[in-house]
Amino acid sequence: MEGLSVADANLLMYLHPSKSRNVSQSILRELGSLPFKFNETFDGVLLAYDVNILDKQAKILSGVHPYFGLRLKANLLLFSPKPDMLLEGKVVKLSQESIHVIVLGFSSAIITAENIHGEFKYRTKDKEELFASKSHKRHVIKVGTMI
Amino acid sequence: MGLELPKYPEMEEDQVFNFTDSEIVSHVKQALASVLSGDNNSYNQLVGVMHHSKHLAPDEVALLETTLKALAGAVSSIDITYHDSLLSAIFCMSMWNYGPHVADALAELIVSLAISNGKYLDLCLGMLVSNFTPPPYFLDKLKMPHGLERKGQVLSRVHAAFKKIADYVPLAPLRLLTIVLQGMPTIYHKDRAIVIYVENMLKLESGEIGELVGSTILMAVVDRLIELDVEIGWDAILQDDFSKGIFEMELEDVDDIEESAEPDVGEFRLSRKSLAGNSIAELLDNLLVLTFEHLESCEREGRLAKVFETLLQSFQFVMFYACALDPENCGMRFATMLADLFVQDSQPQPTRMSAVSYLASYLSRAKFLAASSISSMLKRLVDWCLEYCEAHDGDINPNAHRVFYSGCQAIMYVLCFRMKVFVDVPRLKSELLIPLEQVLKHKLNPLKVCLPSVVEEFLRQAKAASLFTVCKTFIFDGLLESELSRAFGGLERLDTFFPFDPCLLKKCDSFIRPMFVFWSMVKPTHDDAFDDDDDDDGSSDDYLVQDFVNENEDIMNDEFGKSFDEQGVDMDDFDYALKKMSITPKATSNYKFGGRFQEPARMPSRIRPSTSPESL
């Protein structure tokens, strides 16, 4: 599946002074708020990370709140799908109008009728909705299929 | 201008046509598509159907249902800009206004819309959350059977819709959580709305997506409880009238509240009577009942231990009840957590002092705790105090040794309530009381610094049980507090902090009552013991204490352990003890004990809303 990548990142994290009591916990918590959201910096969605603190020393920023900056080295698993990439997902819902797919367990995608290949025709068989290929009889898309 | 009943062009009044679903759907699609080319007629008719909600005739109901179903099939044709009037009409609809079939169709439409495009997700979730509460005109009907039926019907569909959306859009619960928290009515809204909103929140917690959103929701509910608690008559409580003893009678007998004399002018006594008219108190009461019932259902489902971890940060009577439902696990976990907080040097002073006050009040009041648990906790406290004494060779100094003094006071307070436990078991007596004696006789002199009322009562009981001899005379003149105790208690008056004093709220008190130790239940009959001692030629030490006791006996009898039955109860004189109900002192922001100390930091192993602040 395209779109998945592993990246090495040098991060600089700024923490509020109140977090200085338990720095590693604060780092993990901050990083914990990142996954499953699109991140501009990473140009993708963070899925998983592994982090190391580079330096025990941290620079304190001058200003109203003396935040301190920590250097971290992290290994990141990113998902950055771009147009025309091939992705894989599981079908969770089918209707005449659309196919609903879940990619990587967290991302929902929808394929509307216009985008479904003409080869597939919507059918209801034994109360089950599916898209069947006109050319290959066995080729069927229904709930639970990986596409 | 009246609303014209919209008709599909092909339908005539006298003719009945059977249209297939797909035909209707394609008609709707056409209507939607035509907007893009400027022809709004059929589209406007559609919007009209959505708006028509009151006093619907059966055929209008059928029309609405059909339209909704058709729209559900045509969601891919809905455009957020061109069809915004339709969308706002849909999102304003309230399921409370309709019967089951229309509600079904509406729910289906919302679900389809939510999963069709990320743009609609928040709006759809928002619409569902706004259906937690009925429209204003319906609030009165909630108590009636018809209202209850409608409520069940609406809420089951709303929660089922959440589940369906979460199935197709895995990250939806994250969004839902934010929306639910933002939509929470403040305590200044009509109270019935918040009660039913909280009911929905708790339902979410126990529902299928509960695992993902549960703990944050529980915390939000508890936060609201705390807010309400702080609101209750605090301005009135800030009277410095401490003339009543801590161990004075407590209100036990609900039925015997007399219509008694007005309180003294200029004094506001917090009593059940005075709370009766307080709508905020009523609101808190109702919410607590909901929470207790929710805990009960958690217990039945075997989930209490998990839920408890979240609750550990929460409101004290909720904690009390949760512990009572499972004394061995939850009950001990709570006590251990408090003790841990107390002994940790790294915690700030007020935190440690509050923790030990909570522990003391809890150990005294929890009927469900085993004697062994109590004694092990006490031993821990005593051992810590002894260590402290040995490490600090100073003289009496209330300010410098605040944590120590609060620990000593805690021990004495618990022993006032639980003396029987120790008197009966000789092993405990030696394990606990010998080190305790050392602590009390140390140069740091806790007996002089701790709250006089507690010290007096403790000494009296100790004397009666012949625990040890006290060589100094402590003449307090029936003082409740002293300069020294105020000094160690500090601004927050942690010397007088007894969080688990009897619950004043009527409804939830009925939950708490069976597991609560009232003072009169454990009040010793030490008057008899004194009579016996009169004959003894005790040592000069004993004599001194006894003299002191005899001199002050009248005062003490007035102030301490007067049982409810013994005198003509003046219920209006709701004492000091009750003023201490659920203290969350106003300066709560500084060390919110009921708040959050530790948020668990975990790497998301599955999709879990973050508990960290997004940015500081």
Side-chain angles (χ1 to χ4, degrees):
Chain A
M1 186 167 112
E2 298 174 72
L4 279 174
S5 58
V6 177
D8 274 323
N10 290 321
L11 303 173
L12 184 55
M13 180 179 281
Y14 295 107
L15 291 179
H16 189 269
S18 63
K19 310 285 174 192
S20 56
R21 186 139 55 104
N22 194 337
V23 174
S24 29
Q25 193 189 76
S26 314
I27 294 176
L28 286 176
R29 202 175 316 142
E30 282 288 329
L31 285 174
S33 67
L34 292 178
F36 307 117
K37 290 185 205 137
F38 181 79
N39 197 303
E40 293 269 350
T41 332
F42 303 143
D43 190 30
V45 177
L46 178 64
L47 296 180
Y49 56 87
D50 188 24
V51 70
N52 282 313
I53 305 179
L54 275 181
D55 200 350
K56 287 253 158 113
Q57 310 262 8
K59 246 190 179 159
I60 299 179
L61 298 177
S62 56
V64 176
H65 295 290
Y67 278 66
F68 56 100
L70 279 165
R71 293 198 172 280
L72 306 169
K73 197 165 179 68
N75 218 358
L76 306 171
L77 179 62
L78 297 168
F79 180 52
S80 350
K82 299 272 188 294
D84 291 327
M85 276 189 180
L86 217 55
L87 299 176
E88 192 178 80
K90 193 172 186 181
V91 177
V92 288
K93 185 168 152 67
L94 267 179
S95 73
Q96 189 159 22
E97 307 299 316
S98 56
I99 300 178
H100 296 257
V101 180
I102 294 188
V103 175
L104 288 174
F106 76 93
S107 187
S108 64
I110 179 170
I111 309 173
T112 49
E114 311 83 79
N115 292 315
I116 299 177
H117 203 278
E119 181 194 338
F120 292 95
K121 200 156 190 289
Y122 176 77
R123 286 213 172 95
T124 320
K125 191 176 177 189
D126 298 328
K127 291 204 178 161
E128 202 184 6
E129 292 171 289
L130 49 90
F131 276 88
S133 164
K134 286 185 230 164
S135 37
H136 304 275
K137 281 278 158 66
R138 294 279 173 94
H139 190 169
V140 146
I141 301 177
K142 50 187 178 175
V143 173
T145 319
M146 293 295 287
I147 60 171
Chain B
M1 182 180 110
L3 180 71
E4 265 182 36
L5 188 63
K7 288 189 163 65
Y8 289 111
E10 299 92 283
M11 275 161 80
E12 300 288 336
E13 277 188 41
D14 316 315
Q15 293 168 295
V16 178
F17 284 81
N18 285 323
F19 294 95
T20 63
D21 287 341
S22 47
E23 281 173 342
I24 301 183
V25 170
S26 60
H27 173 85
V28 166
K29 278 189 176 176
Q30 257 186 314
L32 291 170
S34 63
V35 176
L36 284 94
S37 47
D39 174 19
N40 288 5
N41 266 332
S42 347
Y43 171 71
N44 287 338
Q45 282 183 0
L46 267 179
V47 180
V49 175
M50 294 297 115
H51 278 299
H52 193 46
S53 64
K54 300 252 170 89
H55 314 297
L56 292 173
D59 58 330
E60 292 167 324
V61 171
L63 178 62
L64 182 56
E65 191 186 332
T66 321
T67 316
L68 288 171
K69 285 201 173 133
L71 278 169
V75 283
S76 46
S77 314
I78 299 180
D79 181 275
I80 199 165
T81 5
Y82 286 106
H83 304 128
D84 67 311
S85 54
L86 178 64
L87 286 169
S88 35
I90 295 173
F91 293 132
C92 288
M93 289 177 83
S94 171
M95 284 192 214
W96 295 82
N97 293 332
Y98 308 107
H101 296 291
V102 175
D104 268 335
L106 180 54
E108 201 192 309
L109 171 58
I110 293 289
V111 171
S112 305
L113 204 50
I115 66 181
S116 71
N117 195 320
K119 287 187 274 195
Y120 302 128
L121 182 65
D122 278 0
L123 293 165
C124 292
L125 291 176
M127 183 269 184
L128 288 170
V129 169
S130 67
N131 271 269
F132 277 175
T133 48
Y137 77 88
F138 205 92
L139 277 171
D140 300 311
K141 300 190 192 167
L142 270 180
K143 295 261 156 70
M144 299 191 262
H146 163 71
L148 282 174
E149 201 192 320
R150 182 55 62 88
K151 172 177 161 188
Q153 171 197 312
V154 171
L155 296 186
S156 61
R157 280 167 178 78
V158 166
H159 288 270
F162 286 142
K163 174 75 173 71
K164 280 196 206 131
I165 295 177
D167 281 341
Y168 303 132
V169 183
L171 290 177
L174 190 63
R175 304 295 317 147
L176 177 60
L177 188 59
T178 322
I179 293 171
V180 167
L181 293 178
Q182 278 168 358
M184 217 172 154
T186 67
I187 58 180
Y188 304 106
H189 278 90
K190 266 215 174 104
D191 72 331
R192 285 163 294 177
I194 188 177
V195 175
I196 194 173
Y197 197 94
V198 168
E199 196 183 322
N200 274 287
M201 287 172 78
L202 293 174
K203 202 168 171 180
L204 266 179
E205 196 273 334
S206 56
E208 279 145 336
I209 56 177
E211 269 189 60
L212 303 170
V213 300
S215 56
T216 319
I217 281 196
L218 266 182
M219 285 315 303
V221 170
V222 163
D223 275 348
R224 201 42 59 89
L225 290 175
I226 294 176
E227 246 183 74
L228 282 169
D229 183 30
V230 173
E231 278 298 314
I232 293 181
W234 255 112
D235 313 301
I237 294 178
L238 289 177
Q239 304 271 334
D240 234 1
D241 178 32
F242 293 122
S243 58
K244 299 290 176 176
I246 298 171
F247 294 105
E248 230 175 287
M249 45 128 201
E250 299 161 347
L251 176 61
E252 290 178 47
D253 204 341
V254 182
D255 305 324
D256 273 9
I257 299 181
E258 291 175 21
E259 291 303 317
S260 44
E262 285 297 309
D264 297 345
V265 173
E267 260 179 54
F268 182 90
R269 307 291 184 102
L270 197 62
S271 68
R272 208 167 267 191
K273 220 160 57 97
S274 67
L275 275 188
N278 188 329
S279 59
I280 292 196
E282 208 186 305
L283 178 49
L284 178 59
D285 205 5
N286 288 330
L287 289 179
L288 277 174
V289 169
L290 262 181
T291 317
F292 288 154
E293 286 170 347
H294 179 76
L295 287 178
E296 277 173 358
S297 75
C298 287
E299 214 263 319
R300 277 194 296 269
E301 295 165 18
R303 299 191 301 125
L304 189 61
K306 264 198 286 180
V307 167
F308 191 78
E309 286 303 313
T310 315
L311 281 181
L312 267 180
Q313 326 278 352
S314 88
F315 191 75
Q316 91 273 32
F317 277 113
V318 172
M319 287 306 299
F320 193 88
Y321 195 67
C323 290
L325 290 174
D326 183 8
E328 281 132 30
N329 294 320
C330 303
M332 277 317 288
R333 174 95 177 82
F334 184 50
T336 317
M337 180 200 88
L338 291 171
D340 286 340
L341 274 173
F342 172 64
V343 305
Q344 274 172 31
D345 282 329
S346 54
Q347 295 285 348
Q349 261 188 7
T351 309
R352 300 172 73 186
M353 292 169 71
S354 319
V356 82
S357 304
Y358 267 88
L359 183 59
S361 198
Y362 174 64
L363 291 176
S364 313
R365 300 295 192 169
K367 217 182 200 176
F368 48 86
L369 281 178
S372 54
S373 320
I374 302 176
S375 61
S376 66
M377 283 292 127
L378 269 183
K379 183 152 180 10
R380 212 174 150 189
L381 289 179
V382 171
D383 288 343
W384 185 91
C385 288
L386 189 57
E387 257 184 67
Y388 190 94
C389 284
E390 285 162 3
H392 293 83
D393 201 26
D395 260 333
I396 182 171
N397 187 340
N399 265 316
H401 307 290
R402 299 175 75 195
V403 179
F404 168 72
Y405 290 123
S406 54
C408 294
Q409 181 167 301
I411 298 169
M412 288 193 275
Y413 186 80
V414 176
L415 284 173
C416 288
F417 277 81
R418 305 289 200 177
M419 191 63 84
K420 281 209 194 73
V421 172
F422 299 94
V423 163
D424 294 337
V425 183
R427 175 184 64 88
L428 285 179
K429 249 176 139 162
S430 60
E431 253 183 26
L432 208 57
L433 297 169
I434 294 172
L436 180 60
E437 190 171 350
Q438 284 183 289
V439 169
L440 294 177
K441 292 187 175 169
H442 190 266
K443 266 197 277 178
L444 284 170
N445 215 333
L447 289 173
K448 220 169 174 193
V449 178
C450 293
L451 209 58
S453 47
V454 175
V455 174
E456 274 187 50
E457 181 60 25
F458 169 72
L459 285 177
R460 215 159 19 123
Q461 290 199 35
K463 164 89 176 129
S466 311
L467 289 184
F468 38 66
T469 59
V470 176
C471 45
K472 294 199 191 111
T473 314
F474 293 96
I475 302 190
F476 291 120
D477 282 335
L479 267 185
L480 189 61
E481 53 176 43
S482 65
E483 284 289 332
L484 293 168
S485 77
R486 271 197 289 267
F488 100 77
L491 275 177
E492 307 96 347
R493 297 314 310 276
L494 288 170
D495 54 325
T496 55
F497 182 33
F498 304 107
F500 288 107
D501 278 350
C503 183
L504 278 183
L505 297 173
K506 208 167 63 157
K507 287 188 211 169
C508 59
D509 181 53
S510 61
F511 282 82
I512 298 286
R513 203 166 258 268
M515 22 197 97
F516 195 82
V517 175
F518 286 93
W519 172 241
S520 64
M521 291 153 73
V522 294
K523 176 187 85 82
T525 49
H526 41 57
D527 299 322
D528 300 340
F530 283 141
D531 292 336
D532 288 337
D533 284 349
D534 267 340
D535 303 328
D536 286 351
D537 258 348
S539 68
S540 53
D541 294 343
D542 287 348
Y543 218 57
L544 278 172
V545 174
Q546 193 178 305
D547 264 347
F548 157 66
V549 160
N550 286 339
E551 278 163 27
N552 297 299
E553 197 152 301
D554 286 341
I555 303 174
M556 285 198 276
N557 275 338
D558 283 342
E559 313 250 81
F560 293 110
K562 242 193 311 189
S563 97
F564 182 81
D565 310 306
E566 275 169 40
Q567 1 80 60
V569 165
D570 187 11
M571 288 323 305
D572 191 44
D573 278 336
F574 228 114
D575 52 280
Y576 181 82
L578 296 172
K579 279 189 193 172
K580 292 305 169 186
M581 172 208 130
S582 65
I583 298 284
T584 36
K586 227 168 191 174
T588 323
S589 50
N590 295 334
Y591 63 99
K592 208 171 182 181
F593 187 81
R596 300 155 284 296
F597 281 136
Q598 296 144 6
E599 288 159 299
R602 339 170 235 253
M603 198 163 138
S605 54
R606 44 181 180 203
I607 298 156
R608 182 178 280 278
S610 155
T611 51
S612 74
E614 287 301 311
S615 62
L616 284 166

